[in-house]
């Protein structure tokens, strides 16, 4: 590819130590013949983030922005509004370590798929040094839901319907963005956590006819903090995923919701009861991995139905109208 190819967006908030490791890793990624700009959006940090950024200005082609209003989605939107984007916009996080050939693989896949504009790479969890990982944390479903593991085979291919790249490793040709923004009611936030901001963003691209391509050769490591390997942390993440699901997937059984809200609400309560009946036998299983996996799924689905119920009483008609457009079956 030619020069001025990549703009790498990295939002961060009060994670100076993690950010420093990520930027150090970025210095090792080969950029020969490529013009890459790293854009770090400081989302109101009060720690040593500014000092970390200052230390890397001479080592990376670094642009720093400040978005004091909290919210990862708000920080990314600030960058999308105010930065002159390169040909490809790479979205990643402040706890990611890319492989040294990351940019080369991204450039090569873009050349191989000239009719496609959206791509996602592989993400592997990287455990803390000396961490004795519990057996349940090694199970694939748990790793996908709790630790952002993302691996869909060894061959490049279009994502199937219902699948999307993960937030720590995806990229989009800037020509496809065309004013697209992240939904600021979803995403990491210090006082409200609703996961699903990247998924909602990618579904908007799908609605525009942009089917993503999975590129397993573009690999990154997601550095998992020790505090996130506890059951409590994993269950909390499941809760956050369920709370955000309505904003990503829309209201379940939308047609019934339009016909009869009372019947629809009864249906949500019935779904919660069915999930509870499914969970109870698992709680007495001697298989700890099964217990944790089923508890994760229970928390996720129950919080999704409970959030949908809560929103069904919402007086904000504009919010309800917007949620009603998020049906994933329209994201083709």
């Amino acid at each position: 590819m030619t020069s001025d190819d990549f703009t790498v967006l990295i939002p961060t908030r009060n994670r100076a130590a993690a950010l420093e490791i990520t930027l150090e890793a970025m210095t090792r990624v080969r950029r020969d013949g490529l013009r890459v700009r790293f854009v770090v959006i400081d989302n109101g940090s009060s720690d040593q983030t500014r000092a970390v950024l200052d230390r890397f200005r001479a080592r990376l082609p670094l642009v720093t922005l400040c978005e004091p209003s909290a919210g990862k989605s708000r920080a990314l939107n600030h960058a999308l509004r105010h930065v002159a984007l390169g040909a490809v916009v790479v979205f990643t996080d402040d706890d990611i370590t890319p492989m040294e050939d990351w940019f080369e693989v991204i450039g090569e896949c873009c050349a191989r798929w000239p009719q496609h504009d959206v791509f996602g790479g592989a993400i592997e969890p990287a455990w803390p040094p000396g961490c004795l990982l519990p057996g349940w944390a090694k199970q694939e479903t748990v790793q996908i839901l709790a630790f952002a593991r993302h691996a869909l085979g060894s061959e490049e291919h279009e994502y199937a319907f219902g699948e999307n790249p993960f937030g720590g490793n995806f990229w989009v040709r800037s020509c496809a963005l065309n004013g697209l923004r992240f939904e600021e009611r979803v995403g990491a936030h210090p006082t409200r956590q609703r996961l699903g901001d990247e998924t909602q963003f990618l579904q908007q691209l799908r609605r525009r006819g942009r089917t993503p391509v999975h590129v397993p050769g573009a690999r990154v490591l997601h550095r998992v903090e020790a505090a996130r390997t506890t059951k409590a942390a994993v269950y909390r993440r499941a809760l956050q995923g369920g709370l955000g699901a309505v904003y990503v997937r829309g209201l379940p059984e939308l047609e019934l919701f339009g016909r009869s809200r009372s019947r629809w609400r009864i249906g949500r309560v019935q779904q919660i009861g069915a999930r509870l009946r499914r969970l109870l036998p698992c709680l007495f299983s001697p298989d700890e991995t099964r217990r944790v996996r089923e508890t994760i799924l229970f928390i996720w689905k129950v919080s999704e139905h409970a959030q949908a119920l809560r929103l069904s009483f919402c007086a904000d008609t504009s919010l309800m109208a917007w949620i009603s457009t998020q049906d994933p079956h329209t994201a083709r």
Side-chain angles (χ1 to χ4, degrees):
M1 298 178 73
T2 61
S3 61
D4 199 20
D5 284 320
F6 303 122
T7 301
V8 182
L9 301 183
I10 308 174
T12 190
R13 177 183 170 89
N14 286 334
R15 290 168 54 84
L19 177 65
E20 184 166 18
I21 297 171
T22 293
L23 294 180
E24 184 66 41
M26 293 296 179
T27 67
R28 298 191 291 269
V29 183
R30 294 190 290 272
R31 294 180 274 125
D32 298 340
L34 298 170
R35 182 175 298 171
V36 181
R37 275 197 303 167
F38 297 89
V39 180
V40 177
I41 311 100
D42 181 357
N43 191 210
S45 298
S46 57
D47 61 358
Q48 297 301 309
T49 292
R50 182 174 298 181
V52 169
L53 293 172
D54 288 342
R55 287 198 292 273
F56 280 90
R57 292 187 194 281
R59 303 180 60 196
L60 287 171
L62 183 63
V63 174
T64 61
L65 300 176
C66 182
E67 171 49 75
S69 298
K72 178 183 175 182
S73 294
R74 184 181 292 271
L76 286 169
N77 286 342
H78 182 78
L80 292 174
R81 284 193 299 268
H82 296 290
V83 173
L85 301 174
V88 175
V89 182
V90 183
F91 296 86
T92 190
D93 292 325
D94 60 10
D95 55 3
I96 290 295
T97 298
M99 301 298 102
E100 294 184 5
D101 63 352
W102 194 42
F103 292 134
E104 295 170 351
V105 175
I106 289 174
E108 290 163 0
C109 83
C110 287
R112 282 194 300 273
W113 297 81
Q115 303 304 314
H116 288 71
D117 298 316
V118 185
F119 305 84
I123 304 176
E124 301 172 14
W127 311 110
C131 176
L132 296 177
L133 197 66
W136 56 262
K138 300 175 184 178
Q139 205 273 335
E140 184 177 14
T141 300
V142 174
Q143 290 200 358
I144 291 170
L145 294 174
F147 306 121
R149 172 181 165 82
H150 189 63
L152 300 177
S154 59
E155 301 294 328
E156 291 183 4
H157 62 274
E158 290 186 346
Y159 280 83
F161 175 68
E163 294 180 342
N164 282 301
F166 274 20
N169 190 17
F170 76 95
W171 55 100
V172 182
R173 298 187 203 270
S174 57
C175 61
L177 293 174
N178 192 27
L180 196 67
R181 297 291 182 264
F182 286 83
E183 171 51 50
E184 295 182 5
R185 285 170 284 205
V186 191
H189 189 282
T191 60
R192 53 163 175 76
Q193 292 281 343
R194 302 176 187 137
L195 300 181
D197 45 318
E198 293 98 350
T199 301
Q200 200 276 337
F201 184 80
L202 289 159
Q203 284 182 181
Q204 292 182 71
L205 285 161
R206 274 190 176 270
R207 291 187 183 94
R208 296 181 177 187
R210 317 287 188 174
T211 301
V213 173
H214 182 58
V215 184
R219 294 173 53 241
V220 304
L221 301 178
H222 171 226
R223 302 188 308 274
V224 180
E225 298 173 342
R228 291 186 58 181
T229 63
T230 66
K231 291 180 186 177
V234 168
Y235 295 157
R236 185 165 56 250
R237 184 171 176 84
L239 174 65
Q240 295 165 354
L243 292 176
V246 178
Y247 296 85
V248 174
R249 297 167 54 84
L251 290 175
E253 297 187 275
L254 185 60
E255 184 179 350
L256 177 60
F257 180 81
R259 294 200 315 269
S260 172
R261 292 199 179 189
S262 59
R263 289 178 56 197
W264 180 89
R265 288 168 179 148
I266 292 171
R268 296 316 99 219
V269 175
Q270 291 173 334
Q271 287 290 332
I272 291 172
R275 280 284 166 179
L276 180 59
R277 290 191 296 274
R278 174 177 171 176
L279 174 68
L280 287 175
C282 300
L283 296 180
F284 299 96
S285 170
D287 184 344
E288 184 181 33
T289 298
R290 182 189 178 199
R291 294 199 306 270
V292 173
R293 183 183 65 244
E294 291 301 323
T295 302
I296 289 172
L297 294 172
F298 170 79
I299 293 172
W300 192 298
K301 295 306 296 183
V302 167
S303 58
E304 179 179 354
H305 286 296
Q307 180 78 328
L309 266 174
R310 187 186 72 81
L311 290 174
S312 74
F313 293 98
C314 179
D316 186 344
T317 56
S318 63
L319 172 62
M320 293 305 299
W322 176 81
I323 289 176
S324 298
T325 68
Q326 300 308 300
D327 180 0
H329 292 90
T330 67
R332 298 187 180 276

